[in-house]
Amino acid sequence: MARCCIPLAIFLCVLLMLSWCEALSSNVDDGYGHEDRSFESDSLIKLNNDDVLTLKSSDKPTSESSTVSVSDFGAKGDGKNDDTQAFKKAWKKACSTKGVTSFLVPKGKTYLLKSTRFRGPCKSLRSFQVLGTLSASTKRSDYNKDKNHWLILEDVNNLSIDGGSAGIINGNGKIWWQNSCKIDRSKPCTKAPTALTLYNLKNLNVKNLKVKNAQQIQISIEKCNNVNIKNVEITAPGDSPNTDGIHITNTQNIRVSNSDIGTGDDCISIEDGSQNVQINDLTCGPGHGISIGSLGDDNSKAYVSGVNVDGAKLTETDNGVRIKTYQGGSGTAKNIKFQNIRMENVKNPIIIDQNYCDKDKCEQQDSAVQVNNVVYRNISGTSATDVAITFDCSEKYPCQGIVLDNVNIKGGTASCKNVNVKNQGNVSPQCS
């Protein structure tokens, strides 16, 4: 009998010990400390000998989203009172908030703003929603500290700027145009603000936004990478000076699509440092067309490559598709394609100008930006000038690798100097 009890006693002792260990473990800090068993903010996991991964809990889970409205910071939105400080306070909050965050400009109101800079980097800001109207101050003295910019967004990655098809950025540029030396030659040439500058942004989306009547350039995209612009509408009078629709410089991997631009200068201008630029389904007019350049001004080096314009309609513009470079510059404009374009009553439908001059007098110089590998394909329409195709190239650095493929522009001839042209399909007019 005693022998039979020994195994039973051992079994009971084991059960007792297991029960005691489980109870003890419930009082030991195992690094969780919360009912949901999430790590405490200062918990560490050691990796190998040198690497340490710190897991920090935030006040809100990263999956939670929040919206910061300018209305919550005192913006009146009556179009009369200055809302600049309210926007700055709201931006500071949105930029510093953890978790996915949206900066909101509510619809149905007009917000009067002076020169304003929205600067990152931000913690988790993902959306800049302009559902109302941003209206620029018309007091030129409000721009004394920065005469180059009205609104500038900089140093923010993974951002979407969404106008919701109702949002408007209004530069109220008339007062600036009236004081431009291009309108009144008796006045000195002075700087004017760009309405919206997007600077040093990566992974940027701009959509469903309206920009109008900029003081000078409407949207300037500078030093950005991986940009997608879609469904934007940009307008200004045809005689408004220097109001480029979209200005692209030092930017790589950008696409502009399904957009309508009518303004007083280039609908789209592409300048130095820009690579892999895609333009699709663009409506342009009034304006100066689609321009690569100006390049090489003040004897500078300039490089542009990988531009593809595929699908555009230009109506009564001062130029069609243009490449313009100054004498004395250097560098290259290469690997460029203009295709599937319709032009109606356009001045200078196709033009390469390596002798571009916007001054009273330009001296003849030897060096030039080299233009090569440019294809014009499936381009048709009518010319408003006697010359429909102009290739005015450098004698020392002639244009090379120029292809005209199924080009039919009625109403003008071709003027071709220092250029190597290959015709494919039906081409009219042709270089003689």
Side-chain angles (χ1 to χ4, degrees):
M1 182 71 180
R3 291 180 179 178
C4 294
C5 292
I6 291 174
L8 179 61
I10 293 172
F11 178 73
L12 290 175
C13 287
V14 170
L15 286 178
L16 181 62
M17 291 179 64
L18 289 173
S19 177
W20 178 78
C21 289
E22 183 178 359
L24 181 62
S25 66
S26 66
N27 295 321
V28 174
D29 183 2
D30 60 0
Y32 287 88
H34 300 286
E35 293 182 357
D36 64 356
R37 302 185 71 82
S38 61
F39 270 112
E40 290 181 347
S41 60
D42 294 328
S43 296
L44 301 178
I45 297 177
K46 292 185 178 179
L47 303 177
N48 301 321
N49 294 325
D50 302 320
D51 299 326
V52 178
L53 172 65
T54 304
L55 302 181
K56 295 185 177 181
S57 66
S58 61
D59 295 335
K60 298 179 181 179
T62 56
S63 60
E64 184 175 337
S65 62
S66 61
T67 299
V68 177
S69 172
V70 296
S71 297
D72 296 335
F73 291 82
K76 297 184 180 300
D78 59 7
K80 299 178 181 179
N81 288 282
D82 179 16
D83 287 323
T84 305
Q85 292 305 315
F87 270 65
K88 289 182 177 180
K89 291 176 182 178
W91 174 261
K92 184 176 180 180
K93 175 64 176 177
C95 191
S96 62
T97 298
K98 297 178 181 179
V100 177
T101 308
S102 295
F103 178 91
L104 175 64
V105 179
K107 63 181 179 180
K109 293 186 177 183
T110 298
Y111 300 88
L112 181 63
L113 297 177
K114 299 177 182 178
S115 181
T116 307
R117 186 178 295 264
F118 302 96
R119 177 178 289 165
C122 297
K123 289 191 175 179
S124 296
L125 184 66
R126 294 292 178 265
S127 177
F128 191 101
Q129 294 179 289
V130 183
L131 306 183
T133 297
L134 307 184
S135 182
S137 169
T138 56
K139 295 180 181 179
R140 297 175 71 198
S141 59
D142 285 340
Y143 303 85
N144 284 342
K145 291 184 178 180
D146 186 355
K147 292 185 178 180
N148 293 320
H149 307 100
W150 171 36
L151 306 174
I152 179 169
L153 267 158
E154 61 179 319
D155 300 332
V156 183
N157 296 334
N158 307 309
L159 184 67
S160 175
I161 302 174
D162 190 353
S165 298
I168 298 173
I169 295 177
N170 186 354
N172 294 317
K174 187 175 181 180
I175 187 65
W176 297 90
W177 309 334
Q178 292 173 344
N179 286 277
S180 169
C181 63
K182 290 191 174 183
I183 299 298
D184 186 346
R185 292 188 176 274
S186 68
K187 295 182 180 295
C189 294
T190 58
K191 296 179 180 179
T194 293
L196 176 62
T197 300
L198 305 173
Y199 181 80
N200 196 30
L201 308 177
K202 295 179 181 179
N203 305 324
L204 170 68
N205 280 284
V206 181
K207 59 183 179 180
N208 307 321
L209 185 66
K210 297 177 182 179
V211 182
K212 68 178 186 177
N213 298 334
Q215 304 92 326
Q216 194 163 299
I217 295 172
Q218 311 248 25
I219 300 176
S220 183
I221 302 168
E222 307 171 11
K223 202 179 176 182
C224 294
N225 196 335
N226 196 17
V227 180
N228 187 23
I229 299 176
K230 186 176 183 179
N231 293 331
V232 299
E233 181 181 318
I234 300 173
T235 56
D239 60 355
S240 56
N242 299 115
T243 52
D244 293 51
I246 298 176
H247 178 74
I248 301 167
T249 183
N250 283 305
T251 291
Q252 297 79 46
N253 308 313
I254 175 171
R255 182 181 181 188
V256 180
S257 63
N258 300 101
S259 295
D260 191 338
I261 303 174
T263 187
D265 210 303
D266 298 331
C267 289
I268 296 180
S269 56
I270 303 164
E271 291 200 355
D272 178 39
S274 298
Q275 293 179 309
N276 191 15
V277 179
Q278 309 289 324
I279 300 171
N280 306 106
D281 301 320
L282 175 73
T283 300
C284 170
H288 294 180
I290 302 169
S291 292
I292 297 175
S294 305
L295 304 177
D297 51 319
D298 297 324
N299 300 325
S300 63
K301 291 183 179 180
Y303 298 91
V304 171
S305 64
V307 177
N308 184 11
V309 179
D310 189 352
K313 181 180 179 181
L314 292 83
T315 304
E316 297 185 349
T317 53
D318 282 0
N319 297 284
V321 289
R322 174 170 60 161
I323 300 173
K324 52 180 179 176
T325 71
Y326 288 90
Q327 293 187 60
S330 59
T332 57
K334 64 180 182 179
N335 302 334
I336 298 162
K337 187 181 295 183
F338 299 105
Q339 62 184 0
N340 302 317
I341 298 172
R342 176 70 184 175
M343 302 189 190
E344 296 182 0
N345 201 33
V346 169
K347 300 176 183 177
N348 308 311
I350 294 176
I351 178 170
I352 297 177
D353 185 0
Q354 281 188 292
N355 298 298
Y356 178 72
C357 176
D358 60 355
K359 303 174 184 178
D360 292 335
K361 184 178 181 180
C362 293
E363 295 182 0
Q364 188 76 23
Q365 299 187 56
D366 291 335
S367 63
V369 176
Q370 178 71 65
V371 178
N372 57 36
N373 296 338
V374 183
V375 175
Y376 302 89
R377 177 176 292 127
N378 299 332
I379 298 177
S380 63
T382 57
S383 175
T385 49
D386 292 337
V387 180
I389 298 176
T390 300
F391 296 134
D392 186 9
C393 300
S394 166
E395 183 175 353
K396 191 170 183 179
Y397 295 91
C399 302
Q400 298 184 359
I402 310 300
V403 176
L404 296 173
D405 184 2
N406 289 323
V407 173
N408 183 11
I409 303 174
K410 298 179 180 179
T413 61
S415 174
C416 310
K417 298 178 182 178
N418 305 313
V419 59
N420 176 11
V421 178
K422 178 180 180 181
N423 295 325
Q424 296 180 177
N426 296 318
V427 175
S428 177
Q430 294 188 11
C431 293
S432 57

